Amino acid sequence: MDKKISISQLKEVAQEAYEQVKGNTGGKNADYIPYLANIDKNLFGISICLMNGQTINIGDTDYRFGIESVSKVHTAILILRQYGAQKVLDMIGADATGLPFNSIIAILLENDHPSTPLVNAGAISACSMVEPVGNSDKKWEAIVQNITDLCGSAPQLIDELYKSETATNFNNRSIAWLLKNYNRIYDNPDMALDLYTRQCSLGITAGQLAIAAGTIANSGVNPVTKKEVFEASLAPKITSMISTVGFYEHSGDWMYTAGIPAKSGVGGGVMSVLPGVFGAAAFAPPLDEAGNSVKSQLAIKYIMNKLGLGVFNGDRVTIVE
Ligand SMILES: NC(=O)CC[C@H](N)C(=O)O
């Protein structure tokens, strides 16, 4: 079915979502990374990027927060660009784990496999793959440039977060070396872990994440800068990964109730992609027990359900003036 939604309708529903969800007190800030525990829990923003580059911003959409696991999507795109879809499948995989993001058991259950670049194991493995292998500075440059192209503007390292996370990432250190044991780390394991920790510590805004999501929705062309960031054929690969594991062990419930591939980070950010229609991001620090922002989920779900949207609905959706 053809479905038309006007920009004013979308703005109205996004505003409604903001008002409805604003007072929600559910969830709590991540506290296993000390820096995140102290972020103002009342911050909240919703941002949408349309395919013509128009954006809708409500609330705290300019506040820079820790990108955390949302960066796994960006770096997955980078290795897809550098290696192609088949090699990423062979070297990491694209399977949902059904387990928490930092699960070590998931690595063992998947027969020594990191499963997907969107959990910690696969993300550390992805950082090890980033070219040029062996050169930490150049790898970092490639990671940051790729995020900058996807967002249309640069992220900024939150040094205090990077230090806080480096001082406490013992579980991730185990993951890096366990993967090394299984030949699933393709560079120095400590370097890969450091790059992963640093990319998680990048400060980003909801506005930037909406544009990155918009770039994926727009098949690799940034809707704002018009730059082709990645090949169109990679877009469905990345959205399939996001939909199967974007909310970890809650991914199935999320797809069933909200109908949009979305990726979370423990900094409170969520980035969601409705292919061909829009990228939507939300930010609010308090998390549920799987590490997904409570208010961000409620806001995006509200917008999707109120407008009757969903990737599985079979509608051809156009946004009109
Ligand atoms: N889910 C997340 O956002 C986790 C990211 C965090 N840097 C970690 O590795 O634990």
Side-chain angles (χ1 to χ4, degrees):
M1 221 177 63
D2 283 320
K3 190 176 171 83
K4 290 195 183 0
I5 292 173
S6 69
I7 295 178
S8 58
Q9 206 181 349
L10 184 58
K11 275 188 188 156
E12 206 174 293
V13 171
Q15 187 67 42
E16 256 173 53
Y18 180 80
E19 301 302 338
Q20 296 252 343
V21 173
K22 196 170 59 177
N24 184 293
T25 54
K28 73 189 224 340
N29 286 27
D31 55 9
Y32 74 103
I33 300 170
Y35 173 91
L36 297 177
N38 299 320
I39 305 293
D40 178 358
K41 63 179 185 341
N42 295 314
L43 289 162
F44 179 37
I46 303 172
S47 183
I48 300 175
C49 173
L50 304 177
M51 301 299 81
N52 65 1
Q54 229 176 307
T55 57
I56 299 167
N57 293 298
I58 303 165
D60 300 311
T61 54
D62 289 332
Y63 179 86
R64 275 186 195 274
F65 56 91
I67 187 171
E68 295 296 344
S69 285
V70 186
S71 67
K72 289 169 175 159
V73 174
H74 300 73
T75 299
I77 291 172
L78 177 59
I79 57 163
L80 282 165
R81 288 171 55 195
Q82 293 184 334
Y83 289 77
Q86 187 58 46
K87 273 211 162 139
V88 170
L89 186 66
D90 296 342
M91 293 170 79
I92 296 182
D95 257 340
T97 61
L99 289 165
F101 58 82
N102 54 4
S103 176
I104 287 178
I105 286 182
I107 303 169
L108 307 175
L109 290 176
E110 281 277 327
N111 287 330
D112 322 337
H113 209 255
S115 320
T116 161
L118 303 193
V119 297
N120 289 19
I124 295 168
S125 194
C127 286
S128 79
M129 283 171 69
V130 169
E131 288 176 330
V133 167
N135 187 332
S136 174
D137 289 349
K138 287 266 181 299
K139 280 165 87 103
W140 178 243
E141 256 173 48
I143 289 169
V144 173
Q145 187 58 51
N146 178 61
I147 295 180
T148 303
D149 289 343
L150 286 164
C151 297
S153 59
Q156 266 167 30
L157 189 72
I158 305 174
D159 207 46
E160 204 186 328
L161 175 56
Y162 175 46
K163 288 197 180 103
S164 180
E165 202 155 334
T166 301
T168 52
N169 64 354
F170 311 115
N171 189 82
N172 288 339
R173 290 185 214 177
S174 316
I175 290 175
W177 282 96
L178 183 62
L179 289 173
K180 171 71 180 166
N181 183 51
Y182 294 134
N183 296 319
R184 294 290 181 174
I185 286 284
Y186 306 99
D187 204 335
N188 178 301
D190 289 329
M191 184 212 287
L193 177 65
D194 176 59
L195 289 166
Y196 167 75
T197 310
R198 238 189 297 169
Q199 79 173 25
C200 286
S201 308
L202 285 168
I204 203 89
T205 68
Q208 286 177 301
L209 282 187
I211 296 172
T215 305
I216 303 169
N218 200 32
S219 300
V221 177
N222 186 312
V224 175
T225 64
K226 314 293 179 208
K227 178 170 179 169
E228 186 186 318
V229 184
F230 62 84
E231 242 178 62
S233 64
L234 297 178
K237 303 300 178 203
I238 196 70
T239 39
S240 74
M241 281 177 175
I242 298 173
S243 62
T244 49
V245 78
F247 279 177
Y248 310 111
E249 65 270 38
H250 288 180
S251 302
D253 285 356
W254 170 259
M255 287 306 293
Y256 189 90
T257 55
I260 183 168
K263 180 76 205 80
S264 64
V266 291
V270 168
M271 161 172 117
S272 63
V273 182
L274 192 59
V277 184
F278 60 63
F283 159 63
L287 312 176
D288 66 15
E289 70 286 358
N292 305 318
S293 165
V294 172
K295 287 203 264 201
S296 297
Q297 290 182 74
L298 288 172
I300 295 169
K301 198 185 292 187
Y302 182 93
I303 295 168
M304 294 300 292
N305 290 330
K306 188 73 191 276
L307 293 171
L309 295 169
V311 276
F312 302 121
N313 296 6
D315 293 328
R316 270 186 305 275
V317 181
T318 35
I319 307 280
V320 294
E321 282 299 327

